[in-house]
Amino acid sequence: MAKFYIGLTLCSIVLMGQSFVHCIDQDPLAVEDWFKGMNTMKEKITKLHFYFHDIVSGKSPTAMRVAQPTSYTSLTGFGNVVMADDALTAGPEPNSTIVGRAQGIYASASMVDLGFLMTMNLAFSDGDFNGSSLSLLGRNPVLHEYREMPIVGGSGVFRMARGIATAKTYSFNLLGDAVVEYNVIVSHY
Ligand SMILES: *[C@@H]1O[C@H](CO)[C@@H](O)[C@H](O)[C@H]1NC(C)=O
Ligand SMILES: *[C@@H]1O[C@H](CO)[C@@H](O)[C@H](O)[C@H]1NC(C)=O
């Protein structure tokens, strides 16, 4: 199997005659070129659909509390901070194909209702999006049917992304595990 390297960046590697059009891991000069060329590029819209598995119980939880208030307790869990590395899958079943991971922090930020501050990187590992990420920052009132949260940026194929994530709880159990359906729509270059 022959490999032909044209240019210096991963972006321009041609393997078996097929060029990789998705530019990630570029050096700073290549990033600058890309950035300066942005005004000649067309903005693209991408829709994503996946399930987020927040597993807090059992032998292998993927989300765990890392901080809590020492002198305050509330029904809303105000002040609890959870670090997560939650699987994102194509379907709702636990054994469904993994398409990425939600890596980041969610924290109870409301004293009056259940409302999380979400600061998550959605790190994709599947297909065209492998190696690219979206950054989500928003308020998640978990008892609402639909929670709308801003996508504030992205990397790789999602450079300069802006968009909206809509979360809807698919299932949960009394131990606190939850499966959440995510629809994401982003514009990016
Ligand atoms: C996932 O698990 C269900 C039931 O536990 C099973 O019926 C199904 O075949 C499994 N799917 C895969 C892709 O392994
Ligand atoms: C994603 O990319 C990594 C690193 O380039 C590679 O090892 C992995 O096999 C890829 N996964 C898929 C599903 O394409």
Side-chain angles (χ1 to χ4, degrees):
M1 210 195 249
K3 282 184 187 175
F4 305 100
Y5 292 88
I6 303 170
L8 296 172
T9 66
L10 182 63
C11 187
S12 46
I13 290 175
V14 176
L15 176 63
M16 296 297 286
Q18 273 210 314
S19 68
F20 285 67
V21 290
H22 302 295
C23 309
I24 51 175
D25 292 337
Q26 287 190 321
D27 66 75
L29 282 177
V31 171
E32 190 176 323
D33 279 348
W34 182 92
F35 195 86
K36 286 176 177 163
M38 217 165 40
N39 54 1
T40 63
M41 291 180 215
K42 223 173 153 262
E43 214 164 350
K44 298 186 267 285
I45 290 184
T46 299
K47 283 164 73 174
L48 301 161
H49 177 248
F50 50 82
Y51 292 82
F52 169 108
H53 297 255
D54 194 49
I55 309 302
V56 297
S57 74
K59 284 209 182 85
S60 38
T62 57
M64 49 207 78
R65 188 163 67 189
V66 293
Q68 64 192 101
T70 53
S71 59
Y72 182 81
T73 47
S74 67
L75 287 174
T76 65
F78 179 76
N80 285 323
V81 178
V82 175
M83 180 68 80
D85 185 357
D86 285 344
L88 304 176
T89 61
E93 311 81 18
N95 60 357
S96 169
T97 307
I98 292 186
V99 298
R101 310 208 57 99
Q103 299 175 329
I105 293 170
Y106 62 86
S108 180
S110 173
M111 289 182 155
V112 295
D113 61 1
L114 273 181
F116 291 156
L117 160 70
M118 303 280 285
T119 51
M120 290 288 203
N121 290 316
L122 306 173
F124 298 102
S125 55
D126 196 46
D128 289 349
F129 307 134
N130 190 3
S132 298
S133 69
L134 289 171
S135 296
L136 180 153
L137 172 64
R139 171 173 152 81
N140 185 0
V142 289
L143 297 181
H144 291 200
E145 184 178 12
Y146 293 111
R147 290 91 70 181
E148 176 183 323
M149 293 173 277
I151 298 291
V152 296
S155 72
V157 299
F158 294 123
R159 280 178 180 167
M160 309 302 290
R162 291 166 298 148
I164 298 162
T166 308
K168 182 180 197 255
T169 303
Y170 175 81
S171 63
F172 62 94
N173 64 27
L174 292 175
L175 301 170
D177 303 327
V179 177
V180 183
E181 182 179 11
Y182 271 75
N183 279 283
V184 176
I185 184 162
V186 285
S187 69
H188 57 100
Y189 288 91

